[in-house]
Amino acid sequence: MNSKYRRMLNRLPEDIKTILEGLGSEYIVENYNPQYMGWSVDIVIKSKRFNLVKEWHQVFISEIKNEGNIHLWPEKDKKSNLELENVAGVINELIA
């Protein structure tokens, strides 16, 4: 792990770190962007690319594919539960 990547990981917000700690597989953080009312992070797990977005106290999970992002969670017309351990659990189920 090079020092630039290590510095990026150290600067991640605590809620992203909590999600990453709950993952059951190795991961690579490709990109992190702070946003006005949240953040966006791209991670790779077992050759699947995911985009996690936190906006206004909700977390959204999408899978990044060649044809674009495919929204996975929460289901349409439902609010996410901001229990960060739940977010990691959803990702673990998706990669299982």
Side-chain angles (χ1 to χ4, degrees):
M1 181 167 32
N2 68 33
S3 61
K4 185 176 182 180
Y5 182 72
R6 194 170 28 254
R7 282 192 308 271
M8 179 189 63
L9 291 179
N10 288 337
R11 286 189 292 239
L12 292 174
E14 286 302 316
D15 39 352
I16 294 177
K17 290 179 183 178
T18 301
I19 293 169
L20 295 176
E21 288 170 3
L23 296 177
S25 300
E26 290 187 28
Y27 60 85
I28 296 172
V29 176
E30 285 191 331
N31 191 24
Y32 161 70
N33 291 305
Q35 297 177 352
Y36 173 65
M37 290 301 292
W39 44 257
S40 172
V41 64
D42 296 339
I43 57 175
V44 177
I45 307 169
K46 292 185 177 180
S47 73
K48 288 188 176 185
R49 296 178 65 216
F50 296 97
N51 174 254
L52 282 64
V53 175
K54 178 184 175 188
E55 293 179 335
W56 297 96
H57 306 292
Q58 287 195 55
V59 177
F60 303 91
I61 303 171
S62 299
E63 185 172 357
I64 303 169
K65 296 197 171 198
N66 290 339
E67 56 272 5
N69 289 6
I70 300 170
H71 179 77
L72 301 174
W73 189 81
E75 295 174 13
K76 188 175 181 177
D77 299 328
K78 292 187 179 178
K79 289 192 172 192
S80 70
N81 182 350
L82 192 57
E83 298 289 327
L84 299 174
E85 296 79 15
N86 292 347
V87 176
V90 169
I91 296 171
N92 288 332
E93 290 176 19
L94 293 170
I95 59 174

